[in-house]
Amino acid sequence: MSFPVRKSVFVGLAGMSLIGTVAACAPSAQAPAAQSTAASTGSATGSAPMASTGASTAAASGYKDGTYSADGNYVSPNGTETVGVELTLSGGTVSDVNITQHPSNPNTRKFQGEFAGGIKAQIVGKNLDELNVSKVAGSSLTSGGFNEAVQKIKAEAQ
Amino acid sequence: MPQPGWAVFSFEGIGTSWEISTPGPLDTGQRRRLLDVVENYDAAWSRFRTDSLVAQAAREAGRYEMPDGAGELGRLYRSLYRLSAGAMTPLIGGSLEQLGYDADYSLRSRGTPVPAPQWDDVLDWQDSVLTTTAPVVLDVGAAGKGQLADLLAAELRSLGISEHFIDASGDLLNSGPVPVAVGLEHPYDPGRAIGTISLGAGALCASAANRRAWGDGLHHVLDGITGTPVRTVVATWALAANAMTADALATALFFVSGKVLEQDFEFSWLTVFSDGSAAYSAGFEGVLFE
């Protein structure tokens, strides 16, 4: 897949604005960038200058092949975070995009970089009725009293 | 039902639904014994009834003799209080009430969040005896459901029922030896799972911030230092030998990384963050769907 450089930078950073929001792992968020708005998820900015870490041939687009990186900021519930975006250009088009988080907020940093077994960039949901399981570990079943109270408040709010 | 043909005993206890599965049906006397275990626990620890020991402690300072098992509950809470630098505390009840998670389930915030009192300022917890210097609202919700599951398992063993499976609304305790296939509930969709795991003898407990949420940014997992809801982590799972430990660690994962908790506890963990990413220990390797 290849696309114009400018557009890909925009897409990469727009996607970043979702990090730190719940929408990113909602099952319906198959196209998160399309569902996000700057108002609800914080804004992303790509104002940092791009630093070239390698260059070879000049391409028709005017961009040299190589790997470029830039930092962007977004606002998460924890405060302002910084993400790194790394683009690889080949023949004037983007051949690879890598996103790295290097959070400036200590509360976020606490939960990152100390992984024993592994990490997964995005959880994936499957319907329970498609799975061969007899039990579910989770916390959706809450108390009767709690649920009644929530229903009552919803009714009063209507 | 964890095994084909097993019988299920369902009941409500400590504010949640329970399912105990056994190879054969439990008779009336056996059911009564199990329900007594639940009632005794509730009578001591519930902050949702006025006649409990915890409710008394909320009214006046004093010396409270808690039931058996309180010692290990206190030691577990004390370690997690230390590891979380005070964020995870059994003194969180007042902070929960302030945000509306009270005995009347008003679910209406009374004002600005209030931090939990410092443990050593108000509470001395020595084995099963709690001595308080001020009225305190204890809430052992982070480990209580797990401990009750352990107590029910012990009761089943004393009844000669060594094989059993306890489902405390998604917190699971398997006596073994036969493993049970378990789905890990999607944090935002109870109809979906994000992975499956085979649960052998031991406990698998979950905690999620999206459940029991009643307002913008208000949910029931609070930071004892600030009295405000925790952000960033949205769901956790912990696998441990007993349910009390697994239950408490599932909550602790909201405050302390699994890697740090591993230094003090033998357990496996999975943490899902608000950006949809996940981190896990070796015990959850290969569990999440691709």
Side-chain angles (χ1 to χ4, degrees):
Chain A
M1 182 179 177
S2 66
F3 33 73
V5 171
R6 284 179 192 282
K7 189 182 175 195
S8 74
V9 170
F10 170 76
V11 166
L13 291 170
M16 276 311 87
S17 71
L18 275 175
I19 291 177
T21 74
V22 296
C25 71
S28 59
Q30 294 303 317
Q35 294 182 5
S36 74
T37 64
S40 65
T41 62
S43 62
T45 57
S47 56
M50 281 204 149
S52 171
T53 57
S56 52
T57 59
S61 63
Y63 295 96
K64 289 179 179 175
D65 284 358
T67 301
Y68 298 80
S69 60
D71 284 345
N73 297 311
Y74 68 99
V75 180
S76 83
N78 265 339
T80 301
E81 307 287 4
T82 304
V83 294
V85 181
E86 192 182 84
L87 300 180
T88 302
L89 301 187
S90 312
T93 58
V94 176
S95 58
D96 193 20
V97 180
N98 284 305
I99 307 297
T100 50
Q101 273 185 286
H102 36 83
S104 51
N105 188 304
N107 199 29
T108 300
R109 192 187 308 131
K110 189 168 68 176
F111 295 112
Q112 297 188 357
E114 297 179 315
F115 303 129
I119 57 171
K120 187 159 180 25
Q122 193 69 36
I123 55 167
V124 176
K126 288 187 182 176
N127 285 332
L128 279 172
D129 51 19
E130 296 166 10
L131 303 172
N132 187 23
V133 296
S134 52
K135 283 290 179 183
V136 174
S139 48
S140 67
L141 293 169
T142 52
S143 72
F146 184 89
N147 289 340
E148 278 166 27
V150 170
Q151 290 308 316
K152 188 160 157 266
I153 286 171
K154 280 181 181 169
E156 285 171 3
Q158 279 171 356
Chain B
M1 189 176 312
Q3 308 292 350
W6 279 29
V8 178
F9 173 38
S10 303
F11 55 91
E12 294 290 314
I14 61 165
T16 197
S17 302
W18 295 74
E19 277 189 17
I20 295 182
S21 306
T22 46
L26 300 169
D27 64 33
T28 311
Q30 292 168 328
R31 291 176 181 218
R32 188 72 260 155
R33 291 256 309 258
L34 292 172
L35 294 177
D36 285 347
V37 171
V38 175
E39 167 57 23
N40 291 340
Y41 200 83
D42 200 60
W45 293 109
S46 176
R47 65 179 179 87
F48 294 95
R49 52 192 275 182
T50 53
D51 62 341
S52 68
L53 290 173
V54 159
Q56 278 183 50
R59 287 190 292 268
E60 54 186 346
R63 182 181 183 279
Y64 296 94
E65 180 96 40
M66 305 308 286
D68 288 348
E72 52 188 1
L73 183 66
R75 283 186 289 274
L76 176 61
Y77 258 110
R78 186 68 194 193
S79 331
L80 294 173
Y81 182 78
R82 175 177 53 82
L83 287 167
S84 67
M88 185 169 163
T89 166
L91 295 161
I92 201 67
S95 305
L96 283 163
E97 287 184 349
Q98 179 71 6
L99 297 188
Y101 197 19
D102 50 36
D104 298 326
Y105 289 111
S106 76
L107 305 186
R108 282 186 171 77
S109 176
R110 298 174 190 176
T112 50
V114 292
Q118 298 278 317
W119 186 311
D120 293 325
D121 288 351
V122 292
L123 174 65
D124 181 34
W125 189 330
Q126 297 294 335
D127 286 323
S128 59
V129 177
L130 275 67
T131 309
T132 58
T133 55
V136 293
V137 189
L138 291 160
D139 183 291
V140 294
K145 189 163 72 161
Q147 184 172 41
L148 180 52
D150 291 334
L151 293 170
L152 288 166
E155 190 68 18
L156 285 162
R157 282 193 298 272
S158 79
L159 290 166
I161 304 162
S162 57
E163 246 187 300
H164 49 263
F165 190 98
I166 298 176
D167 181 351
S169 294
D171 286 342
L172 310 174
L173 176 60
N174 185 16
S175 70
V178 184
V180 172
V182 174
L184 305 178
E185 186 183 276
H186 193 291
Y188 299 106
D189 183 355
R192 292 162 82 83
I194 61 168
T196 59
I197 192 166
S198 176
L199 176 61
L204 174 59
C205 293
S207 192
N210 57 312
R211 308 300 169 196
R212 299 192 189 229
W214 60 92
D216 185 23
L218 300 181
H219 55 71
H220 77 297
V221 181
L222 304 188
D223 182 326
I225 294 170
T226 61
T228 54
V230 170
R231 304 195 192 275
T232 304
V233 176
V234 294
T236 60
W237 285 263
L239 261 171
N242 64 66
M244 178 180 73
T245 306
D247 193 8
L249 289 172
T251 298
L253 285 166
F254 278 79
F255 305 104
V256 185
S257 78
K259 189 76 180 164
V260 169
L261 292 170
E262 272 178 354
Q263 292 163 19
D264 284 60
F265 295 94
E266 202 168 306
F267 81 118
S268 299
W269 53 273
L270 164 64
T271 301
V272 174
F273 301 91
S274 49
D275 63 357
S277 67
Y280 49 88
S281 68
F284 280 89
E285 190 75 52
V287 162
L288 295 173
F289 296 135
E290 294 298 327

